[in-house]
Amino acid sequence: MSYAAWIIMTASLVGITCSIIGVLLVLRRMAMISDAISHTVLLGLVSAYLVTNSLDGLAMFIGAAITGVLTAVFIQLLNSAGVQADASIGIVFTFLFAIGVILVSMFARDVHIDTEHAIMGELAFIPWTTVEWFGLPPIPQAVWVIGIVLVINIVILVLLYKEFKLSSFDPELAAALGLPVVFLHYVLMGMTSITAVAAFDAVGAILVVAMIIAPPATAYLLTERLWMMFVLSAVFGVISAVAGYYTAAWLDASISGMMATMTGILFILAFLFSPTHGIIAKRINNRRIRPES
């Protein structure tokens, strides 16, 4: 595959992986927790480096995943204690991310774990780091990592589809029926953490958050079927990745930034032209039902 093809494939895998998780987060009105997790994993990355004195991928992944899960746990604890959900996210997010930034500035200034790299990512470097597994030709490491996480997420969603569906739309009924609502919540938070960590080094926090929130929100405006939301979200993630890459190449702009911009453009189009929830459709319907004067 060509250099550009690997970049597009990586971004497309990120779009699919993040967007299918984002569907459940959007339905549960917890979308911004992805922003918190995608930033606080910086603390896990620098902590893993300080403990191992190495940039080994496995150690980084474990450290970031642990921090992501702890972020979700702390947010839930504050929320259970009576702190509003948005305030809980803001407090944990800023506190843990600030600690990570301080540690980077003090002990890891000369390594690639810097705040600019963490926030923006650099897709252009993806094809340079390859691995040879299972006798296959060299494939970018990010493709393997994100692909494996995607498979894990799909398996979990298939196995727990009905449980996630009921607990997302009616958590009280789910609890009354004996479903482990709290357990499902932490499973989703774990999936979100692992997904953010897998995509973090490749595309950066901005694109991770954009892919988790915008494609599901766009799909939400276009369908009322949960399974179709998953499909449309994945499709919009891929469209944003492909269109963003070629637009960035044309304008000589940030690849991740342009892909994130494309997710916003797709949402705006759906917000305007959705046949059921779009502004234009609503205005047309209002004119039709308005009594003649």
Side-chain angles (χ1 to χ4, degrees), residues 24 27-28 163-171 188:
L24 295 177
L27 290 176
R28 293 166 177 248
E163 289 79 2
F164 275 130
K165 181 178 181 180
L166 184 56
S167 61
S168 296
F169 286 102
D170 197 336
L188 178 58

Side-chain angles (χ1 to χ4, degrees), residues 236 239-241 243-245 247-248 257-267:
F236 291 145
I239 292 175
S240 299
Y245 174 80
T247 306
M258 189 56 67
M259 289 179 180
T261 300
M262 286 299 170
T263 64
I265 291 175
L266 290 177
F267 175 79

Side-chain angles (χ1 to χ4, degrees), residues 1 6 27 79 99 105-106 112 117 157 168 180 186 192 202 207 212 234 238 240-241 260 275 277-278:
M1 293 181 65
W6 282 124
L27 290 176
N79 196 13
I99 293 177
S105 64
M106 292 178 62
H112 83 288
H117 179 272
L157 288 175
S168 296
Y186 283 116
T192 304
L207 187 55
I212 288 178
V238 174
S240 299
H277 299 288

Side-chain angles (χ1 to χ4, degrees), residues 89-282:
I89 293 174
I91 292 170
V92 175
F93 160 37
T94 53
F95 179 70
L96 295 182
F97 183 60
I99 293 177
V101 171
I102 291 173
L103 292 178
V104 168
S105 64
M106 292 178 62
F107 304 109
R109 187 183 298 272
D110 296 329
V111 297
H112 83 288
I113 311 176
D114 56 87
T115 53
E116 180 180 356
H117 179 272
I119 293 175
M120 293 300 299
E122 188 46 75
L123 273 166
F125 296 158
I126 291 299
W128 294 355
T129 305
T130 61
V131 293
E132 298 181 23
W133 290 348
F134 310 111
L136 296 174
I139 295 176
Q141 181 177 322
V143 173
W144 278 110
V145 173
I146 298 170
I148 291 172
V149 172
L150 174 59
V151 172
I152 293 173
N153 287 345
I154 291 176
V155 170
I156 294 175
L157 288 175
V158 170
L159 294 176
L160 300 176
Y161 178 79
K162 294 181 179 179
E163 289 79 2
F164 275 130
K165 181 178 181 180
L166 184 56
S167 61
S168 296
F169 286 102
D170 197 336
E172 289 79 12
L173 177 59
L177 293 175
L179 294 181
V181 177
V182 176
F183 172 75
L184 291 172
H185 170 79
Y186 283 116
V187 169
L188 178 58
M189 292 302 98
M191 295 166 66
T192 304
S193 300
I194 293 175
T195 300
V197 171
F200 191 78
D201 186 60
V203 303
I206 291 178
L207 187 55
V208 169
V209 176
M211 289 293 191
I212 288 178
I213 298 176
T218 305
Y220 181 82
L221 295 174
L222 299 175
T223 183
E224 295 181 355
R225 296 177 179 270
L226 180 59
W227 67 269
M228 183 56 70
M229 277 192 67
F230 283 114
V231 174
L232 289 178
S233 296
V235 170
F236 291 145
V238 174
I239 292 175
S240 299
V242 176
Y245 174 80
Y246 286 108
T247 306
W250 175 47
L251 298 176
D252 192 21
S254 165
I255 299 175
S256 296
M258 189 56 67
M259 289 179 180
T261 300
M262 286 299 170
T263 64
I265 291 175
L266 290 177
F267 175 79
I268 292 173
L269 292 175
F271 186 68
L272 292 174
F273 300 108
S274 170
T276 54
H277 299 288
I279 291 179
I280 295 177
K282 288 181 178 179

Side-chain angles (χ1 to χ4, degrees), residues 31-77:
M32 288 310 298
I33 199 172
S34 62
D35 188 27
I37 291 176
S38 64
H39 281 76
T40 58
V41 293
L42 176 64
L43 174 59
L45 294 174
V46 67
S47 297
Y49 170 75
L50 293 177
V51 170
T52 64
N53 199 29
S54 169
L55 296 177
D56 177 69
L58 180 60
M60 291 286 167
F61 188 89
I62 293 174
I66 291 175
T67 305
V69 173
L70 287 177
T71 300
V73 171
F74 292 154
I75 290 173
Q76 182 63 28
L77 289 176

